Amino acid sequence: MTVMIYATLERAIRSGSPDRVAELVRTTWLDPIANGESTLSAVRHPLGFACLPVLRDGRQGVCVHLFGERRTPVRLSVSPFHCHSWDLLSHVLYGQVGNQHVTVATGSTYRVFDTRTTAGGDRLVPTTRTVDATAGAPEHWAAGSAYELAAGHFHASTVVGGAPAATVVLGLHHPEKPDLTLGALDTPAHRLTRRLHGRAETVSLARTALDRLTRDADRLTPAGRR
């Protein structure tokens, strides 16, 4: 079942079928959470959004990211520039999401941190590597569109004006590649905690996402890049 839903969702995204993507996300995950049939808890991500980690099966994973809902102020201990050990395929369910590509070269502006993720959070460990980083202009993606990010490619995520937005993110893990973050040269090793939302909060988040999906259904067309 998990392999089938991942493959079905990926086909729907790549074929440019946003209505089908929204239907799969709604019926497979959001409806059961909103109805109290699922015990899954949303995670308060260190970057300030809520994450529903709805699927993890071997190298494959799916998360629903909810931006602008119950957002708390974020005080970053490092820069927002980071790279994943996952190939990511992100589809915008509603709202607009920005992705900023970052070019990294040997230099002396930032220290590279090895990000070691556990169930309780991320431990950031400084390495001996230092780099310079150049951020490109953000690309903004509207509801119904999708974009990809290869494992090991540095980037930063943004949301237009802090407005509510949601993405469903498919990931294919490459265990041989590290998760990395750029920080100040003198920042020590430290931990970023990922707290769980309570059951009532998680249900409310799912219901809000369902309401926004329904309200914005007429916008879920292959709008492409804005």
Side-chain angles (χ1 to χ4, degrees):
M1 173 62 181
T2 55
V3 174
M4 289 178 59
I5 189 60
Y6 185 98
T8 302
L9 189 55
E10 182 179 15
R11 283 196 300 270
I13 293 173
R14 294 193 182 281
S15 67
S17 304
D19 289 338
R20 177 61 172 153
V21 175
E23 178 190 14
L24 287 167
V25 172
R26 177 178 61 79
T27 59
T28 308
W29 297 301
L30 292 182
D31 278 346
I33 295 172
N35 295 335
E37 300 169 6
S38 170
T39 59
L40 183 142
S41 293
V43 179
R44 297 176 182 176
H45 194 279
L47 292 178
F49 58 86
C51 171
L52 298 172
V54 293
L55 173 66
R56 182 67 185 271
D57 182 41
R59 292 181 61 204
Q60 297 178 336
V62 179
C63 290
V64 177
H65 291 166
L66 305 175
F67 300 89
E69 309 291 356
R70 294 165 178 75
R71 187 179 178 89
T72 55
V74 178
R75 294 182 179 178
L76 293 178
S77 59
V78 289
S79 82
F81 304 148
H82 60 281
C83 72
H84 303 276
S85 58
W86 299 74
D87 289 333
L88 301 179
L89 174 62
S90 297
H91 173 92
V92 184
L93 294 165
Y94 58 80
Q96 290 190 56
V97 175
N99 185 55
Q100 190 172 26
H101 292 281
V102 178
T103 301
V104 170
T106 299
S108 58
T109 306
Y110 295 98
R111 185 170 301 283
V112 177
F113 286 75
D114 184 9
T115 305
R116 303 172 185 176
T117 300
T118 66
D122 301 325
R123 178 162 175 76
L124 275 61
V125 180
T127 70
T128 58
R129 181 185 174 194
T130 60
V131 299
D132 293 330
T134 303
E139 297 175 293
H140 294 135
W141 305 88
S145 58
Y147 60 95
E148 296 187 71
L149 186 71
H153 191 109
F154 279 90
H155 79 121
S157 297
T158 62
V159 177
V160 179
T167 59
V168 56
V169 183
L170 278 65
L172 183 64
H173 190 224
H174 294 271
E176 75 281 3
K177 294 190 176 184
D179 293 292
L180 303 175
T181 302
L182 304 186
L185 298 176
D186 58 353
T187 299
H190 60 287
R191 179 177 293 277
L192 299 177
T193 302
R194 297 194 180 197
R195 295 184 176 88
L196 296 180
H197 285 277
R199 292 295 308 131
E201 278 188 302
T202 300
V203 168
S204 179
L205 283 166
R207 289 177 177 172
T208 299
L210 284 169
D211 179 65
R212 295 193 189 282
L213 271 180
T214 301
R215 186 173 23 174
D216 298 345
D218 58 336
R219 303 176 192 172
L220 293 177
T221 57
R225 198 178 307 176
R226 285 189 180 177

